[in-house]
Amino acid sequence: MDAAEFRRRGKEMVDYVADYLENIEKRPVYPDLEPGYLRSLIPNEAPLEPESYEDIIKDVERVIMPGVTHWHSPYFFAYFPAASSYPAMVADMLCGAIGCIGFSWAASPACTELETVMLDWLGKMLQLPECFIAGTHGRGGGVIQGTASEATLISLLAARCKAVRRVQTINAKKSESEILSKLVAYTSDQAHSSVERAALIGAVMMRKVPTDNRYAVRREMLKKMVEEDKAAGLIPFYFCATLGTTPSCAFDHLTELGPLCNEENMWMHIDAAYAGSAFICPEFRPLLNGVEFADSFNFNPHKWLLVNFDCSAMWVKERADIIGAFKMEPLYLKHENQESGLVTDYRHWQIPLGRRFRSLKMWFVFRMYGLKGLQAHIRKQVALAKEFESLVRADKRFEICAEVVLGLVCFRLKGSNELNQELLKRITKSREIHLVPCQLSGRFVLRFAICARTTESHHIQQAWQHITQLTFELLQEASH
């Protein structure tokens, strides 16, 4: 493919993408396939001779689209949103064309500097404390990670390194392995599985803190566990607070937990993967109160802020804590400006060495939507969730299982877990809407998350009509 053909095919692909997204609701939201469907549709080996672009595009519809779960369908209500917008897609094209591997400032100055500035822009939208803003002289700052899972792992590893050094400062005779065996981390029993996974990778103990009747961690319970562990000779060093838990969008009490973590010399990381986007709206910003006590904070613009995957924004109060844990300086990566104090090399802030020019997506989206446009998007989707909640509450056969704060509604049919499992099975099999479950207080619960950018009120009404029709059929059969 030469430049002339690329111009032609590029325009065709833009038309294909636009047509796909404009007509996406006509496709079944969930595929009707058996595992292994794809292997029989394509050859066992790569072609020896070049194939035509036309043949490849035909195979997109024949091979790929039948096996796609359409996350951007307005009938997709599963998991949490996967953000998408045309400005972000256009920026991703440019990112692919520039094709830099921005591991250091010298590897592509614009890649590094735009990221630093975009994280400052976003931090100011969230009204983060000044200590998290890089500016030109700040000690903190932001970085784009691939996912919230990576951000949690990075924060835990940095906290682990800091704790080991702190203990060795007090008692130089203690070996690193001895200290590591006594380190203990904490998180909510409602936290995402990636938090527990971070502890597995970091080879440290992690204890799950029981939550209150609103599925939030309170100070008293964490304090009790910390005191028990200290009495047993363990070293509490890390707490991952969650703002917007995956099962029910619950919020840990930062203003209670933060001071405790500071008193106990524990690193507090905040995982706000989904909910963080909402904090750009003044009415939701109080949910972030207490962030001033945190050592690190993370959320995913690629969930709800119209920036396509992958783009997970992470801020640290003291960047030296992260750089100190990961810094490696082989000669081939050094450059003359690295000690100037004006630049940062993001390879020291992450696990991979290479990184894409992801801040372009933020730059395009922030400029083409503006803060007001992004706020309008969040508010619209919260209103749609409230609309669905009101439909559920009006039907006495159903119950709401957790407070609806943002764009997630947790509900269930009154009755047994088995009844709700059967209802979800029928919803999935219908392929008209897509939901996933969670477990709250031992109960099987259906999650209804407002996901697609194009979701409107009539999609909510239609989804509810479909759920109630399937419910009617299920209850009729059960009564017989």
Side-chain angles (χ1 to χ4, degrees):
M1 185 183 286
D2 58 17
E5 188 182 2
F6 175 70
R7 289 177 193 276
R8 188 168 82 256
R9 299 306 188 189
K11 288 167 186 170
E12 288 173 9
M13 181 55 77
V14 167
D15 284 340
Y16 179 85
V17 169
D19 289 343
Y20 165 70
L21 291 171
E22 282 192 328
N23 298 295
I24 196 169
E25 63 185 87
K26 294 175 185 173
R27 297 177 185 260
V29 67
Y30 192 69
D32 182 20
L33 296 164
E34 294 299 319
Y37 89 95
L38 189 144
R39 186 172 287 274
S40 64
L41 298 178
I42 60 175
N44 287 328
E45 296 177 356
L48 193 60
E49 299 294 335
E51 296 185 1
S52 72
Y53 181 83
E54 287 85 356
D55 286 344
I56 298 169
I57 284 297
K58 282 176 190 167
D59 280 351
V60 170
E61 282 296 333
R62 183 181 71 88
V63 178
I64 303 302
M65 284 301 175
V68 171
T69 300
H70 298 286
W71 280 64
H72 301 290
S73 166
Y75 296 114
F76 182 93
F77 304 106
Y79 312 108
F80 274 134
S84 176
S85 68
Y86 294 119
M89 288 181 232
V90 171
D92 240 353
M93 285 177 65
L94 180 58
C95 169
I98 292 172
C100 63
I101 312 298
F103 48 75
S104 70
W105 180 86
S108 193
C111 182
T112 293
E113 294 199 14
L114 186 64
E115 183 162 335
T116 304
V117 176
M118 286 304 99
L119 270 292
D120 278 1
W121 276 19
L122 185 52
K124 289 171 184 176
M125 288 186 211
L126 297 164
Q127 298 174 46
L128 287 183
E130 192 65 31
C131 54
F132 288 102
I133 306 299
T136 52
H137 302 292
R139 289 163 55 182
V143 58
I144 300 173
Q145 304 287 359
T147 63
S149 307
E150 288 173 50
T152 303
L153 176 58
I154 290 287
S155 67
L156 182 134
L157 294 176
R160 187 186 73 172
C161 179
K162 191 176 181 181
V164 168
R165 289 173 180 171
R166 184 175 68 245
V167 174
Q168 286 182 328
T169 301
I170 299 164
N171 187 345
K173 291 181 181 177
K174 285 208 171 184
S175 67
E176 184 172 334
S177 59
E178 187 184 354
I179 297 166
L180 288 175
S181 70
K182 293 184 180 300
L183 292 180
V184 58
Y186 306 87
T187 194
S188 163
D189 64 11
Q190 299 292 307
H192 193 271
S193 58
S194 61
V195 181
E196 193 175 358
R197 199 157 174 252
L200 284 174
I201 297 168
V204 294
M205 281 181 278
M206 178 165 276
R207 297 191 64 192
K208 293 186 176 181
V209 186
T211 49
D212 65 12
N213 60 0
R214 295 173 76 176
Y215 307 108
V217 173
R218 306 302 298 253
R219 177 188 171 99
E220 301 77 32
M221 187 53 74
L222 178 60
K223 185 177 173 63
K224 179 173 177 284
M225 293 175 75
V226 167
E227 286 175 351
E228 286 172 1
D229 289 338
K230 283 165 68 180
L234 299 175
I235 306 168
F237 81 104
Y238 177 87
F239 173 63
C240 179
T242 308
L243 296 181
T245 59
T246 301
S248 66
C249 199
F251 293 81
D252 290 341
H253 292 261
L254 296 187
T255 52
E256 297 177 6
L257 298 161
L260 174 63
C261 290
N262 291 177
E263 290 159 20
E264 298 290 345
N265 238 331
M266 291 162 56
W267 182 299
M268 184 167 81
H269 174 67
I270 299 171
D271 172 11
Y274 162 68
S277 297
F279 305 154
I280 65 168
C281 299
E283 64 270 33
F284 300 124
R285 176 56 179 78
L287 294 167
L288 186 57
N289 288 351
V291 68
E292 62 273 15
F293 300 109
D295 296 274
S296 53
F297 166 70
N298 164 248
F299 85 97
N300 292 341
H302 69 228
K303 273 193 169 66
W304 209 11
L305 212 57
L306 301 173
V307 179
N308 288 50
F309 188 85
D310 59 325
C311 182
S312 186
M314 178 187 187
W315 290 265
V316 290
K317 195 174 275 182
E318 294 281 348
R319 60 175 174 263
D321 289 339
I322 282 202
I323 294 169
F326 299 105
K327 191 169 186 177
M328 303 287 284
E329 289 286 22
L331 183 60
Y332 52 81
L333 292 178
K334 288 185 175 182
H335 57 90
E336 61 183 8
N337 291 296
Q338 67 184 41
E339 304 301 336
S340 69
L342 293 174
V343 302
T344 190
D345 285 349
Y346 279 125
R347 70 178 185 275
H348 302 313
W349 297 53
Q350 61 175 26
I351 290 166
L353 175 66
R355 54 207 333 275
R356 299 189 306 118
F357 202 163
R358 291 175 290 204
S359 56
L360 281 171
K361 293 182 287 193
M362 301 173 82
W363 195 43
F364 274 54
V365 168
F366 294 167
R367 293 181 69 184
M368 294 194 75
Y369 277 89
L371 177 57
K372 287 185 177 177
L374 295 171
Q375 289 171 334
H377 169 68
I378 298 292
R379 287 170 178 145
K380 176 184 174 182
Q381 297 218 320
V382 172
L384 290 172
K386 292 290 186 183
E387 180 180 349
F388 184 80
E389 179 192 14
S390 67
L391 292 170
V392 175
R393 289 192 184 279
D395 191 322
K396 300 304 176 192
R397 297 172 298 177
F398 289 88
E399 58 185 330
I400 295 291
C401 304
E403 183 184 3
V404 179
V405 181
L406 298 175
L408 175 68
V409 183
C410 293
F411 73 107
R412 72 194 300 275
L413 194 53
K414 290 174 182 173
S416 68
N417 284 346
E418 290 73 22
L419 190 66
N420 283 277
Q421 286 167 353
E422 179 60 28
L423 175 58
L424 181 61
K425 189 176 172 184
R426 294 182 182 209
I427 289 170
T428 303
K429 195 175 178 183
S430 75
R431 301 163 63 219
E432 291 197 24
I433 62 174
H434 191 43
L435 279 67
V436 294
C438 70
Q439 192 169 42
L440 294 173
S441 304
R443 298 189 301 170
F444 187 89
V445 171
L446 280 63
R447 295 171 76 265
F448 189 97
I450 311 300
C451 291
R453 175 176 50 84
T454 54
T455 306
E456 300 288 348
S457 175
H458 70 269
H459 298 116
I460 303 301
Q461 298 289 336
Q462 205 166 323
W464 179 242
Q465 193 176 347
H466 183 64
I467 291 167
T468 54
Q469 177 60 38
L470 292 176
T471 300
F472 175 76
E473 293 168 6
L474 174 61
L475 294 177
Q476 283 284 96
E477 289 175 26
S479 68
H480 293 134

